[in-house]
Amino acid sequence: MLRTGGSRLVAPGLRSLLGGRPQPGLAAAGARAYHERVVDHYNNPRNVGSFDKDDPNVGTGLVGAPACGDVMKLQIRVDEGTGKIVDACFKTFGCGSAIASSSVATEWVKGKQMEEVVTIKNTEIAKHLSLPPVKLHCSMLAEDAIKAAVKDYEAKKAKMGDSPSEKAAEA
């Protein structure tokens, strides 16, 4: 669990090193701080869970970063008629920044067209969460997971001969 230390957010182990009291200017002392949005999405993640990967209206993106061990599964459920993402969920094994990036990604894709969600960039997620440079790979995983989920959904539809682009051409 991540907690606040004064006006800064710190990991619980740091608090004991600091004598359990808030420390002004903590960032200047070299401690790594987490933005309140990261802490919020870590402590209260949105849309945790999974859908049936065999459901034809579900796309699954599974991505990982071997360097740090983070693994992210993001799934989208698409309304066949409108092509909009009606629901999204995730399961992530990783640090607080990876969990927060996954949570934000699921919130951002809901209610949007697939063409729109593939334009979501890791830099937008990183900026929203105020991720430090050392944690940018977490937002990159979220971007990759979104794209992989869309690609999986489109591959399922193409296999069934019912791709969204074919439907749009028919209309």
Side-chain angles (χ1 to χ4, degrees):
M1 175 180 273
L2 302 175
R3 299 172 198 247
T4 59
S7 62
R8 299 285 184 180
L9 303 169
V10 297
L14 227 42
R15 183 174 290 254
S16 63
L17 290 173
L18 299 171
R21 59 193 182 296
Q23 298 291 317
L26 188 58
R32 184 160 294 141
Y34 289 93
H35 190 274
E36 63 188 36
R37 285 192 199 108
V38 173
V39 175
D40 180 41
H41 279 275
Y42 174 79
N43 287 332
N44 307 296
R46 281 63 148 189
N47 310 306
V48 175
S50 62
F51 302 134
D52 177 6
K53 65 180 174 60
D54 296 326
D55 182 335
N57 294 321
V58 170
T60 302
L62 182 63
V63 295
C68 66
D70 292 343
V71 178
M72 188 178 293
K73 178 176 85 170
L74 186 138
Q75 292 180 298
I76 56 172
R77 176 169 286 137
V78 182
D79 179 293
E80 221 172 318
T82 64
K84 277 190 176 180
I85 296 172
V86 293
D87 204 0
C89 63
F90 79 95
K91 283 189 177 181
T92 296
F93 176 81
C95 65
S97 298
I99 292 167
S101 295
S102 304
S103 180
V104 166
T106 60
E107 287 195 317
W108 286 8
V109 301
K110 284 184 179 183
K112 294 187 176 149
Q113 296 288 337
M114 289 191 300
E115 300 80 27
E116 193 178 350
V117 300
V118 295
T119 65
I120 294 172
K121 299 290 177 213
N122 70 294
T123 51
E124 297 169 40
I125 296 169
K127 184 176 178 182
H128 178 74
L129 292 172
S130 298
L131 294 178
V134 73
K135 293 295 183 178
L136 290 180
H137 67 279
C138 299
S139 61
M140 290 179 201
L141 279 179
E143 178 186 344
D144 291 345
I146 292 168
K147 289 178 178 171
V150 169
K151 185 176 179 180
D152 179 60
Y153 173 79
E154 289 176 341
K156 281 182 182 179
K157 289 301 172 188
K159 198 176 196 180
M160 294 171 48
D162 192 24
S163 74
S165 54
E166 287 175 14
K167 276 191 172 183
E170 289 173 9

